[in-house]
Amino acid sequence: MVRLFINGYGNIGRRLATAVLMDDEIKMVGVAKYSMDDKILEALDNDIDVYVPADKFDLFQQKGYKIAGTIDEACQRSDFILDASKEGGGFENKQKFYTPLKKPAIFQGGEDRYGPYSVADMIHNSRVNYDKASGKDYVIQGSCNVSGMGRLMQPLIEKYGNQIKRFDVTLVRRWADLEDSKEVKDSIEWDKNPHHQDDVKDFIPSANLFVDALKVPSRMMHVHQMLIRFDGKAPTRDSILEVFRGEFGVALLNSAKGTANVRNKAIELGFPHGDTQMAHIHQEVLRVQDDVVKIVYSDDQTGMVIPENYLLLQSMYFRRDRADAIKRADKLFQMTRKKKILEDEFK
Ligand SMILES: NC(=O)c1ccc[n+]([C@@H]2O[C@H](COP(=O)([O-])OP(=O)(O)OC[C@H]3O[C@@H](n4cnc5c(N)ncnc54)[C@H](OP(=O)(O)O)[C@@H]3O)[C@@H](O)[C@H]2O)c1
């Protein structure tokens, strides 16, 4: 049994809470809220205790919210923290609470791996370096795009090794999530220095990887293009597809019309939070030409990292082996069942 606190209750924190509540081995201490809005009532309706910063405690109470305590108290009552704070907030949380109280924590992909605001000395990807996280106190869970690249690159590297000369990835990222209130600008923006390249190279240092990232006015899902250049003739389309047939968290779709089609299907099918939690390879646009394979895949930004956080907890806190952890994650998140449903829906 682990007593767990989720520091942040936004897009990621809410989803982590849903997962944690399903697991008998985890005792949910509560979640942190920093703003007074209806998400507090959502948490309380789900029987989740809400903790707030000490300097806002009286204010929240005066407004009539039922608050269980301060964030400091929540950390003291916990064995482990899932930090789901707004991008970059994890560093201060670590300094203020986790390090002084000696509490281990998982940070999200918006935190720094290097430099003065670094929160951990590794980025986790369950397909690549699950074992390395075992027993560690602080680890960053790679962001959705970084998790997706790892899920695709690692099986290819295991199958083709030195035959692969390089990976060129163009990330086409959604502007905001469906639940975000922020405006979606009518613009396509580029990223001067996408962090995703360094993040992936943190756990696959040998990869010759070149990443570009664009942001487009959409809320549904990302869609990415990965070019894999081989030394000599590239493998056939069928052999590439075969690599991913049994992969955890990768679905092979054939008739989706676009990202909205996949997202709306997940909502229609009643998947929790409308998430598939997967990368979806779109087979009909998988092409091979001469020495290059082109894979187009969409990835469920909000959902992808939730089973990843759960797997990382299995490694850091429970020190379980990967096969056992995957079995547990599959039972909790129904990944194999959802993959089959999606593949049947989009065959
Ligand atoms: N959204 C995605 O698709 C996605 C995917 C993968 C990884 N990530 C990463 O996950 C992290 C969270 O992203 P998100 O989309 O969930 O953000 P979000 O929806 O903006 O939520 C951020 C949460 O942080 C809370 N917060 C504010 N100040 C804080 C502080 N000092 N310490 C802790 N929490 C604080 C906010 O509380 P209030 O609401 O009460 O103000 C809010 O609940 C980021 O690192 C992001 O890069 C996001």
Coordinates of all heavy atoms in Angstrom, one line a residue, residues 13-97:
G13 N -3.4 16.0 -13.8 CA -3.7 15.6 -12.4 C -5.1 14.9 -12.3 O -5.2 13.9 -11.5
R14 N -6.1 15.4 -13.0 CA -7.4 14.8 -12.9 C -7.4 13.4 -13.4 O -8.1 12.5 -12.9 CB -8.4 15.6 -13.7 CG -8.8 17.0 -13.0 CD -9.5 17.9 -13.9 NE -10.8 17.3 -14.3 CZ -11.2 17.1 -15.6 NH1 -10.4 17.4 -16.6 NH2 -12.4 16.6 -15.9
R15 N -6.7 13.2 -14.5 CA -6.6 11.8 -15.1 C -5.8 10.9 -14.2 O -6.2 9.7 -14.0 CB -6.0 11.9 -16.5 CG -6.9 12.5 -17.5 CD -6.2 12.8 -18.8 NE -7.2 13.1 -19.8 CZ -7.8 14.2 -20.0 NH1 -7.6 15.3 -19.2 NH2 -8.7 14.4 -21.0
L16 N -4.8 11.4 -13.6 CA -4.0 10.6 -12.6 C -4.9 10.2 -11.5 O -4.9 9.0 -11.0 CB -2.8 11.3 -12.1 CG -1.7 11.6 -13.2 CD1 -0.6 12.5 -12.6 CD2 -1.0 10.2 -13.6
A17 N -5.7 11.1 -11.0 CA -6.6 10.8 -9.9 C -7.6 9.7 -10.2 O -7.8 8.8 -9.4 CB -7.4 12.1 -9.5
T18 N -8.1 9.7 -11.4 CA -9.1 8.7 -11.9 C -8.4 7.3 -11.8 O -9.0 6.3 -11.3 CB -9.6 8.9 -13.3 OG1 -10.2 10.2 -13.3 CG2 -10.5 7.9 -13.8
A19 N -7.1 7.3 -12.3 CA -6.4 6.0 -12.3 C -6.1 5.5 -10.9 O -6.3 4.3 -10.5 CB -5.1 6.1 -13.1
V20 N -5.6 6.4 -10.0 CA -5.3 6.1 -8.7 C -6.5 5.5 -7.9 O -6.3 4.6 -7.1 CB -4.7 7.3 -8.0 CG1 -4.6 7.2 -6.5 CG2 -3.3 7.6 -8.5
L21 N -7.6 6.1 -8.1 CA -8.8 5.7 -7.4 C -9.2 4.3 -7.7 O -9.9 3.6 -7.0 CB -10.0 6.6 -7.7 CG -9.9 8.0 -7.0 CD1 -11.0 8.9 -7.5 CD2 -9.9 7.9 -5.5
M22 N -8.8 3.8 -8.9 CA -9.2 2.4 -9.3 C -8.2 1.3 -8.7 O -8.5 0.2 -8.8 CB -9.0 2.3 -10.8 CG -10.1 3.1 -11.6 SD -10.0 2.8 -13.4 CE -8.3 3.0 -13.9
D23 N -7.1 1.7 -8.1 CA -6.1 0.8 -7.7 C -6.2 0.5 -6.2 O -6.0 1.5 -5.4 CB -4.7 1.3 -8.1 CG -3.7 0.2 -7.9 OD1 -3.8 -0.6 -7.0 OD2 -2.7 0.2 -8.7
D24 N -6.4 -0.7 -5.8 CA -6.6 -1.1 -4.4 C -5.3 -0.9 -3.6 O -5.3 -0.8 -2.4 CB -6.9 -2.6 -4.2 CG -8.2 -2.9 -4.9 OD1 -8.9 -2.0 -5.1 OD2 -8.4 -4.1 -5.1
E25 N -4.1 -0.9 -4.3 CA -2.9 -0.8 -3.6 C -2.5 0.7 -3.3 O -1.5 0.9 -2.6 CB -1.8 -1.3 -4.5 CG -1.5 -2.7 -4.4 CD -0.2 -3.0 -5.2 OE1 0.1 -2.3 -6.1 OE2 0.5 -3.9 -4.7
I26 N -3.3 1.6 -3.8 CA -2.9 3.0 -3.6 C -4.0 3.7 -2.7 O -5.2 3.6 -3.0 CB -2.8 3.8 -4.9 CG1 -1.8 3.1 -5.8 CG2 -2.4 5.2 -4.7 CD1 -1.7 3.8 -7.2
K27 N -3.6 4.3 -1.7 CA -4.5 5.1 -0.8 C -4.3 6.6 -1.2 O -3.2 7.2 -1.1 CB -4.2 4.9 0.6 CG -5.0 5.9 1.5 CD -5.1 5.5 2.9 CE -6.0 6.5 3.7 NZ -6.5 7.7 3.0
M28 N -5.4 7.1 -1.8 CA -5.3 8.5 -2.3 C -5.4 9.5 -1.1 O -6.4 9.5 -0.4 CB -6.5 8.7 -3.2 CG -6.8 10.1 -3.5 SD -5.7 10.8 -4.7 CE -6.7 10.9 -6.1
V29 N -4.3 10.3 -0.8 CA -4.4 11.3 0.2 C -5.2 12.5 -0.2 O -6.0 13.0 0.5 CB -2.9 11.7 0.6 CG1 -2.9 12.9 1.5 CG2 -2.2 10.5 1.2
G30 N -5.1 12.8 -1.5 CA -5.9 13.9 -2.0 C -5.2 14.6 -3.2 O -4.1 14.1 -3.7
V31 N -5.7 15.7 -3.6 CA -5.1 16.5 -4.7 C -5.0 18.0 -4.2 O -5.6 18.4 -3.3 CB -6.0 16.5 -5.9 CG1 -6.2 15.1 -6.5 CG2 -7.4 17.1 -5.7
A32 N -4.1 18.7 -5.0 CA -3.8 20.1 -4.6 C -4.6 21.0 -5.6 O -4.7 20.7 -6.8 CB -2.4 20.4 -4.8
K33 N -5.2 22.0 -5.1 CA -5.8 23.1 -5.9 C -5.2 24.4 -5.5 O -4.9 24.7 -4.3 CB -7.3 23.1 -5.7 CG -8.1 22.1 -6.5 CD -8.1 22.4 -8.0 CE -8.8 23.7 -8.4 NZ -8.5 24.1 -9.8
Y34 N -5.0 25.2 -6.5 CA -4.4 26.5 -6.3 C -5.3 27.6 -6.6 O -5.2 28.7 -6.1 CB -3.1 26.7 -7.2 CG -2.0 25.7 -6.7 CD1 -2.0 24.4 -7.0 CD2 -0.9 26.2 -6.0 CE1 -1.0 23.5 -6.5 CE2 0.1 25.4 -5.5 CZ 0.0 24.0 -5.8 OH 1.0 23.2 -5.3
S35 N -6.3 27.3 -7.5 CA -7.3 28.4 -7.8 C -8.7 27.9 -7.3 O -9.0 26.7 -7.2 CB -7.4 28.5 -9.4 OG -6.2 28.6 -9.9
M36 N -9.5 28.9 -7.1 CA -10.9 28.6 -6.7 C -11.8 28.5 -7.9 O -12.1 29.5 -8.5 CB -11.4 29.8 -5.8 CG -11.0 29.6 -4.4 SD -11.7 30.9 -3.4 CE -10.3 31.6 -2.6
D37 N -12.1 27.3 -8.3 CA -13.0 27.1 -9.4 C -13.7 25.8 -9.2 O -13.6 25.1 -8.2 CB -12.2 27.1 -10.7 CG -11.0 26.1 -10.8 OD1 -11.2 25.0 -10.2 OD2 -10.0 26.4 -11.4
D38 N -14.6 25.4 -10.2 CA -15.5 24.3 -10.0 C -14.7 22.9 -10.0 O -15.3 21.9 -9.6 CB -16.6 24.3 -11.1 CG -16.0 24.3 -12.5 OD1 -14.8 24.2 -12.6 OD2 -16.8 24.4 -13.4
K39 N -13.4 22.9 -10.3 CA -12.7 21.6 -10.2 C -12.6 21.2 -8.7 O -12.4 20.0 -8.5 CB -11.3 21.8 -10.8 CG -11.3 22.0 -12.3 CD -11.6 20.8 -13.1 CE -11.6 20.9 -14.6 NZ -12.5 21.9 -15.2
I40 N -12.7 22.1 -7.8 CA -12.7 21.7 -6.4 C -13.9 20.9 -6.1 O -13.8 19.8 -5.5 CB -12.7 23.0 -5.5 CG1 -11.5 23.9 -5.8 CG2 -12.7 22.6 -4.0 CD1 -11.4 25.1 -4.9
L41 N -15.1 21.3 -6.6 CA -16.3 20.6 -6.4 C -16.3 19.2 -7.0 O -16.7 18.2 -6.5 CB -17.5 21.4 -6.8 CG -17.7 22.8 -6.1 CD1 -18.8 23.5 -6.7 CD2 -17.8 22.6 -4.6
E42 N -15.6 19.2 -8.2 CA -15.5 17.9 -9.0 C -14.7 16.9 -8.1 O -15.1 15.8 -8.0 CB -14.8 18.1 -10.3 CG -14.6 16.9 -11.1 CD -13.6 17.0 -12.3 OE1 -13.8 17.9 -13.1 OE2 -12.6 16.3 -12.3
A43 N -13.6 17.4 -7.5 CA -12.8 16.5 -6.7 C -13.6 16.0 -5.5 O -13.6 14.8 -5.2 CB -11.5 17.2 -6.2
L44 N -14.3 17.0 -4.8 CA -15.0 16.6 -3.6 C -16.2 15.7 -4.0 O -16.4 14.7 -3.2 CB -15.6 17.9 -2.9 CG -14.5 18.8 -2.3 CD1 -15.1 20.1 -1.9 CD2 -13.8 18.1 -1.2
D45 N -16.8 15.9 -5.1 CA -17.9 15.0 -5.6 C -17.3 13.5 -5.8 O -18.0 12.6 -5.6 CB -18.5 15.4 -6.9 CG -19.4 16.6 -6.7 OD1 -19.8 16.8 -5.5 OD2 -19.8 17.2 -7.7
N46 N -16.0 13.4 -6.1 CA -15.4 12.1 -6.3 C -14.8 11.6 -5.0 O -13.9 10.7 -5.1 CB -14.3 12.2 -7.4 CG -14.9 12.4 -8.8 OD1 -16.0 11.9 -9.1 ND2 -14.3 13.1 -9.6
D47 N -15.1 12.2 -3.9 CA -14.6 11.8 -2.6 C -13.1 12.0 -2.5 O -12.4 11.1 -1.8 CB -15.0 10.4 -2.2 CG -16.4 10.2 -1.8 OD1 -16.9 11.2 -1.3 OD2 -17.1 9.2 -2.1
I48 N -12.6 13.0 -3.2 CA -11.1 13.2 -3.1 C -10.9 14.4 -2.2 O -11.5 15.5 -2.4 CB -10.5 13.5 -4.5 CG1 -10.8 12.3 -5.4 CG2 -9.0 13.8 -4.4 CD1 -10.4 12.6 -6.9
D49 N -10.0 14.3 -1.2 CA -9.7 15.4 -0.3 C -8.9 16.5 -1.1 O -8.1 16.1 -2.0 CB -8.9 15.0 0.9 CG -9.8 14.3 1.9 OD1 -11.0 14.4 1.8 OD2 -9.2 13.6 2.8
V50 N -9.2 17.7 -0.8 CA -8.5 18.8 -1.5 C -7.6 19.6 -0.5 O -8.0 20.0 0.6 CB -9.6 19.8 -2.1 CG1 -8.9 21.0 -2.7 CG2 -10.4 19.1 -3.2
Y51 N -6.4 19.8 -1.0 CA -5.4 20.6 -0.2 C -5.0 21.8 -0.9 O -5.0 21.8 -2.2 CB -4.2 19.7 0.1 CG -4.4 18.5 1.0 CD1 -5.0 17.3 0.5 CD2 -4.1 18.6 2.4 CE1 -5.3 16.3 1.3 CE2 -4.4 17.5 3.2 CZ -5.0 16.4 2.7 OH -5.2 15.3 3.5
V52 N -4.7 22.9 -0.2 CA -4.4 24.2 -0.8 C -3.1 24.8 -0.2 O -2.7 24.4 0.9 CB -5.6 25.2 -0.7 CG1 -6.8 24.6 -1.4 CG2 -5.8 25.5 0.8
P53 N -2.5 25.8 -0.9 CA -1.3 26.4 -0.3 C -1.7 27.0 1.0 O -2.8 27.6 1.2 CB -1.0 27.5 -1.4 CG -1.6 27.1 -2.6 CD -2.8 26.3 -2.2
A54 N -0.7 27.0 1.9 CA -0.9 27.5 3.3 C -1.5 29.0 3.3 O -2.4 29.3 4.1 CB 0.3 27.4 4.1
D55 N -0.9 29.8 2.4 CA -1.3 31.2 2.5 C -2.7 31.5 1.9 O -3.2 32.6 1.9 CB -0.2 32.1 1.8 CG 0.0 31.7 0.3 OD1 -0.5 30.6 -0.1 OD2 0.7 32.4 -0.4
K56 N -3.3 30.4 1.3 CA -4.6 30.6 0.7 C -5.7 29.8 1.5 O -6.9 29.9 1.2 CB -4.7 30.1 -0.7 CG -3.9 31.0 -1.7 CD -4.1 30.5 -3.1 CE -3.3 31.3 -4.1 NZ -3.4 30.7 -5.5
F57 N -5.2 29.1 2.5 CA -6.1 28.2 3.3 C -7.3 28.9 3.8 O -8.5 28.5 3.6 CB -5.3 27.5 4.4 CG -6.1 26.5 5.2 CD1 -6.2 25.2 4.7 CD2 -6.8 26.8 6.3 CE1 -7.0 24.2 5.3 CE2 -7.5 25.8 7.0 CZ -7.6 24.5 6.5
D58 N -7.1 30.1 4.5 CA -8.3 30.8 5.1 C -9.2 31.3 4.0 O -10.4 31.2 4.2 CB -7.7 32.0 5.9 CG -7.0 31.5 7.2 OD1 -7.2 30.3 7.6 OD2 -6.3 32.3 7.8
L59 N -8.6 31.8 3.0 CA -9.5 32.3 1.9 C -10.4 31.2 1.3 O -11.6 31.5 1.1 CB -8.5 32.8 0.8 CG -9.0 33.9 -0.2 CD1 -9.4 35.1 0.6 CD2 -8.0 34.2 -1.2
F60 N -9.8 30.1 1.0 CA -10.6 29.0 0.5 C -11.8 28.6 1.4 O -12.9 28.4 1.0 CB -9.8 27.7 0.2 CG -9.1 27.7 -1.2 CD1 -8.0 28.5 -1.4 CD2 -9.5 26.9 -2.2 CE1 -7.4 28.5 -2.7 CE2 -8.9 26.8 -3.4 CZ -7.8 27.7 -3.7
Q61 N -11.4 28.6 2.7 CA -12.4 28.2 3.7 C -13.5 29.2 3.8 O -14.7 28.9 3.9 CB -11.7 28.0 5.1 CG -10.9 26.7 5.1 CD -11.1 26.0 6.4 OE1 -11.0 26.5 7.4 NE2 -11.4 24.7 6.3
Q62 N -13.1 30.5 3.8 CA -14.1 31.6 3.9 C -15.1 31.5 2.7 O -16.2 31.9 2.9 CB -13.4 33.0 3.8 CG -12.8 33.4 5.2 CD -11.7 34.5 5.0 OE1 -11.7 35.1 4.0 NE2 -10.8 34.6 6.0
K63 N -14.6 31.0 1.6 CA -15.5 30.9 0.4 C -16.4 29.7 0.5 O -17.2 29.4 -0.4 CB -14.7 30.8 -0.9 CG -14.0 32.1 -1.2 CD -14.9 33.1 -1.9 CE -14.2 34.4 -2.2 NZ -15.0 35.5 -2.5
G64 N -16.2 28.9 1.6 CA -17.1 27.8 1.9 C -16.7 26.5 1.3 O -17.4 25.5 1.4
Y65 N -15.4 26.4 0.8 CA -14.9 25.1 0.3 C -14.5 24.2 1.4 O -13.9 24.7 2.4 CB -13.8 25.3 -0.7 CG -14.2 26.0 -2.0 CD1 -13.7 27.3 -2.3 CD2 -15.0 25.3 -2.9 CE1 -14.1 27.9 -3.5 CE2 -15.3 25.9 -4.1 CZ -14.9 27.2 -4.4 OH -15.3 27.8 -5.5
K66 N -14.7 22.9 1.3 CA -14.3 22.0 2.4 C -12.8 21.6 2.0 O -12.6 20.9 1.1 CB -15.2 20.8 2.3 CG -15.0 19.8 3.4 CD -16.1 18.7 3.4 CE -15.6 17.5 4.1 NZ -15.0 16.5 3.3
I67 N -11.9 22.1 2.8 CA -10.5 21.9 2.5 C -9.9 21.0 3.6 O -10.1 21.2 4.8 CB -9.7 23.3 2.4 CG1 -10.4 24.2 1.4 CG2 -8.2 23.1 2.2 CD1 -10.4 23.7 0.0
A68 N -9.1 20.0 3.2 CA -8.6 19.0 4.1 C -7.3 19.5 4.8 O -7.0 18.9 5.9 CB -8.4 17.7 3.4
G69 N -6.6 20.4 4.2 CA -5.4 20.9 4.9 C -4.5 21.6 3.9 O -4.9 21.9 2.8
T70 N -3.3 21.8 4.3 CA -2.3 22.6 3.4 C -1.5 21.5 2.6 O -1.5 20.3 2.9 CB -1.3 23.4 4.2 OG1 -0.5 22.5 5.0 CG2 -2.1 24.4 5.1
I71 N -0.9 22.0 1.5 CA -0.1 21.1 0.7 C 1.1 20.5 1.5 O 1.4 19.3 1.3 CB 0.4 21.9 -0.5 CG1 -0.9 22.1 -1.4 CG2 1.5 21.2 -1.3 CD1 -0.7 23.1 -2.5
D72 N 1.6 21.3 2.4 CA 2.7 20.8 3.2 C 2.1 19.6 4.1 O 2.8 18.6 4.1 CB 3.1 21.9 4.1 CG 4.3 21.5 5.0 OD1 5.4 21.3 4.4 OD2 4.2 21.4 6.2
E73 N 1.0 19.7 4.6 CA 0.4 18.6 5.4 C 0.1 17.4 4.5 O 0.3 16.3 4.9 CB -0.9 19.1 6.1 CG -0.7 20.0 7.2 CD -1.9 20.8 7.7 OE1 -2.9 20.9 6.9 OE2 -1.9 21.3 8.8
A74 N -0.4 17.7 3.3 CA -0.7 16.5 2.4 C 0.6 15.8 2.1 O 0.6 14.5 2.1 CB -1.3 17.1 1.1
C75 N 1.7 16.5 1.9 CA 3.0 15.8 1.6 C 3.4 15.0 2.8 O 3.9 13.9 2.7 CB 4.1 16.8 1.2 SG 3.7 17.6 -0.4
Q76 N 3.2 15.6 4.0 CA 3.6 14.9 5.2 C 2.8 13.6 5.4 O 3.4 12.6 5.9 CB 3.4 15.7 6.4 CG 4.4 16.9 6.5 CD 4.2 17.7 7.8 OE1 4.1 17.1 8.9 NE2 4.3 19.0 7.7
R77 N 1.6 13.6 4.9 CA 0.7 12.4 5.1 C 0.9 11.4 4.0 O 0.3 10.3 4.0 CB -0.8 12.8 5.1 CG -1.2 13.6 6.3 CD -2.6 14.2 6.2 NE -2.8 15.2 7.2 CZ -3.8 16.1 7.2 NH1 -4.7 16.1 6.3 NH2 -3.8 17.0 8.2
S78 N 1.8 11.7 3.1 CA 2.0 10.8 1.9 C 3.4 10.1 1.9 O 4.3 10.6 2.5 CB 1.9 11.6 0.6 OG 0.7 12.4 0.6
D79 N 3.4 8.9 1.2 CA 4.7 8.3 1.0 C 5.3 8.7 -0.4 O 6.5 8.5 -0.6 CB 4.4 6.7 0.9 CG 3.7 6.2 2.1 OD1 4.2 6.5 3.2 OD2 2.7 5.5 2.0
F80 N 4.4 9.2 -1.3 CA 4.9 9.4 -2.7 C 4.0 10.5 -3.3 O 2.8 10.6 -3.0 CB 4.7 8.1 -3.5 CG 5.5 8.1 -4.7 CD1 6.7 7.4 -4.8 CD2 5.0 8.7 -5.9 CE1 7.4 7.4 -6.0 CE2 5.8 8.7 -7.1 CZ 7.0 8.0 -7.1
I81 N 4.7 11.3 -4.1 CA 3.9 12.4 -4.7 C 3.9 12.3 -6.2 O 5.0 12.1 -6.8 CB 4.5 13.8 -4.3 CG1 4.4 14.1 -2.9 CG2 3.7 15.0 -5.0 CD1 4.7 13.9 -1.8
L82 N 2.8 12.5 -6.8 CA 2.7 12.6 -8.3 C 2.6 14.1 -8.5 O 1.5 14.7 -8.2 CB 1.5 11.9 -8.9 CG 1.5 10.4 -8.8 CD1 0.2 9.9 -9.5 CD2 2.7 9.8 -9.5
D83 N 3.6 14.8 -9.0 CA 3.6 16.2 -9.2 C 3.0 16.4 -10.6 O 3.5 16.0 -11.6 CB 5.0 16.8 -9.2 CG 5.0 18.3 -9.2 OD1 4.8 18.8 -10.3 OD2 5.1 19.0 -8.2
A84 N 1.8 17.1 -10.7 CA 1.1 17.4 -11.9 C 0.9 18.8 -12.1 O -0.1 19.3 -12.5 CB -0.2 16.6 -12.0
S85 N 1.9 19.6 -11.6 CA 1.7 21.1 -11.6 C 1.9 21.6 -13.0 O 2.4 21.0 -13.9 CB 2.8 21.7 -10.7 OG 4.0 21.4 -11.1
K86 N 1.4 22.9 -13.1 CA 1.6 23.6 -14.4 C 3.1 23.6 -14.7 O 4.0 23.6 -13.8 CB 1.1 25.0 -14.2 CG 1.8 25.8 -13.2 CD 1.3 27.2 -13.2 CE 2.2 28.0 -12.3 NZ 1.9 29.0 -11.6
E87 N 3.3 23.6 -16.0 CA 4.7 23.5 -16.6 C 5.7 24.3 -15.8 O 5.5 25.5 -15.6 CB 4.7 23.9 -18.0 CG 5.3 22.9 -18.9 CD 4.9 23.1 -20.4 OE1 5.6 23.9 -21.0 OE2 3.9 22.6 -20.8
G88 N 6.8 23.7 -15.3 CA 7.8 24.4 -14.6 C 7.6 24.6 -13.1 O 8.5 25.0 -12.4
G89 N 6.4 24.2 -12.6 CA 6.1 24.4 -11.2 C 6.7 23.3 -10.3 O 6.8 23.5 -9.1
G90 N 7.1 22.2 -10.9 CA 7.7 21.1 -10.1 C 8.9 21.5 -9.4 O 9.2 20.9 -8.3
F91 N 9.8 22.3 -10.0 CA 11.1 22.7 -9.3 C 10.8 23.3 -8.0 O 11.4 22.8 -7.0 CB 11.8 23.6 -10.2 CG 13.2 24.0 -9.7 CD1 14.2 23.2 -9.6 CD2 13.3 25.3 -9.1 CE1 15.4 23.5 -9.1 CE2 14.5 25.7 -8.5 CZ 15.6 24.8 -8.5
E92 N 9.9 24.3 -7.9 CA 9.7 24.9 -6.6 C 9.1 24.0 -5.6 O 9.4 24.0 -4.4 CB 8.7 26.1 -6.9 CG 8.8 27.1 -5.7 CD 7.7 28.2 -5.9 OE1 7.6 28.7 -7.0 OE2 7.1 28.6 -4.9
N93 N 8.2 23.1 -6.1 CA 7.5 22.1 -5.2 C 8.6 21.2 -4.6 O 8.5 20.8 -3.4 CB 6.5 21.3 -6.0 CG 5.3 22.1 -6.4 OD1 5.0 23.1 -5.7 ND2 4.6 21.7 -7.4
K94 N 9.5 20.8 -5.4 CA 10.6 19.9 -5.0 C 11.4 20.6 -3.8 O 11.7 20.0 -2.8 CB 11.5 19.5 -6.1 CG 12.6 18.5 -5.7 CD 13.5 18.1 -6.8 CE 14.6 17.2 -6.3 NZ 15.6 16.9 -7.3
Q95 N 11.8 21.9 -4.1 CA 12.6 22.6 -3.1 C 11.8 22.8 -1.8 O 12.4 22.7 -0.7 CB 13.0 24.0 -3.6 CG 13.6 24.0 -5.0 CD 15.1 23.6 -4.9 OE1 15.5 22.9 -4.0 NE2 15.9 24.1 -5.7
K96 N 10.5 23.2 -2.0 CA 9.7 23.6 -0.8 C 9.2 22.5 0.0 O 9.2 22.5 1.2 CB 8.5 24.4 -1.4 CG 8.2 25.6 -0.6 CD 7.3 26.5 -1.5 CE 6.1 27.0 -0.8 NZ 5.2 27.8 -1.7
F97 N 8.8 21.4 -0.7 CA 8.2 20.3 0.1 C 8.9 18.9 0.0 O 9.2 18.3 1.0 CB 6.7 20.1 -0.5 CG 5.9 21.3 -0.5 CD1 5.5 21.9 -1.7 CD2 5.5 21.9 0.7 CE1 4.7 23.0 -1.7 CE2 4.7 23.0 0.7 CZ 4.3 23.6 -0.5

